[in-house]
Amino acid sequence: MTRRLLREEISYSAAQDKEINILHRLEYFEKQNQFIAELTSKDKWIKDVVAHHLNVDPSRCDIAGSTSSWLCGSFNLCIPVTIRGWTRKQRGNRVLLRLPLPYKVGEAFRPGNADEKVRCEAGTYAWLQERHPDIPIPQLYGFSLSSGESVGLSLVAFQRN
């Protein structure tokens, strides 16, 4: 019998040879699906957040049509958003709304971890842009925290290069 992990299936015989907590990882597939399902019902919120950071009307924001085009990494989910009639420095009109995956950053047992992740990443981007502008990184347009405090948990909005 096999069980579903995020990117593969695993059997007990394969799991017993691994030096990681497979039981913990068995929860990720369902938690990822729940998180994505929750976000699909929040399209107005997604548009409002992106529009706020870019100073545009939310009606100009189009969220990627299907969740299959959303990008799920190890610790973040990125939602592509196209802004009609908006271009920046020859980079196009698409941004990524980047959200930490709460079940991967330990938000349930350490509330505030997701905010700390956002603060650290935003600080790193700002530091790189200021001190090493020759290093190609996505443009950071703003970030928000779960408290609603906004500098531009919820998220970080990046332009795709």
Side-chain angles (χ1 to χ4, degrees):
M1 180 175 155
T2 61
R3 302 283 306 269
R4 184 79 179 125
L5 297 174
L6 277 175
R7 291 173 171 58
E8 64 182 330
E9 290 190 352
I10 192 165
S11 66
Y12 175 75
S13 59
Q16 70 185 2
D17 294 332
K18 300 217 182 262
E19 293 187 26
I20 54 175
N21 186 346
I22 295 293
L23 293 176
H24 190 66
R25 292 178 181 211
L26 287 171
E27 299 175 350
Y28 292 165
F29 183 72
E30 182 59 31
K31 287 182 178 184
Q32 178 176 293
N33 289 337
Q34 289 171 353
F35 187 58
I36 290 172
E38 180 182 336
L39 289 171
T40 59
S41 67
K42 295 187 176 193
D43 61 321
K44 181 185 178 329
W45 176 81
I46 292 169
K47 290 177 181 184
D48 287 347
V49 167
V50 171
H52 168 77
H53 289 298
L54 301 178
N55 197 27
V56 299
D57 190 277
S59 65
R60 294 174 51 196
C61 299
D62 296 318
I63 301 167
S66 85
T67 58
S68 64
S69 61
W70 294 10
L71 311 167
C72 201
S74 296
F75 293 94
N76 297 292
L77 174 69
C78 295
I79 303 171
V81 180
T82 302
I83 294 71
R84 281 180 266 111
W86 182 81
T87 58
R88 295 281 190 201
K89 301 179 187 174
Q90 320 305 316
R91 294 186 182 203
N93 62 347
R94 272 181 64 161
V95 297
L96 292 177
L97 175 62
R98 185 170 164 189
L99 303 157
L101 297 169
Y103 56 91
K104 291 295 272 302
V105 298
E107 188 65 23
F109 60 89
R110 287 278 191 262
N113 276 2
D115 282 348
E116 183 64 16
K117 181 181 186 320
V118 168
R119 278 193 295 269
C120 288
E121 288 183 9
T124 300
Y125 273 79
W127 186 88
L128 281 169
Q129 287 173 346
E130 181 181 315
R131 293 199 169 82
H132 297 284
D134 53 315
I135 297 174
I137 59 172
Q139 176 68 44
L140 174 63
Y141 286 105
F143 67 94
S144 300
L145 304 173
S146 61
S147 65
E149 184 181 350
S150 183
V151 187
L153 182 70
S154 28
L155 50 126
V156 183
F158 294 104
Q159 180 167 358
R160 277 181 93 165
N161 288 332

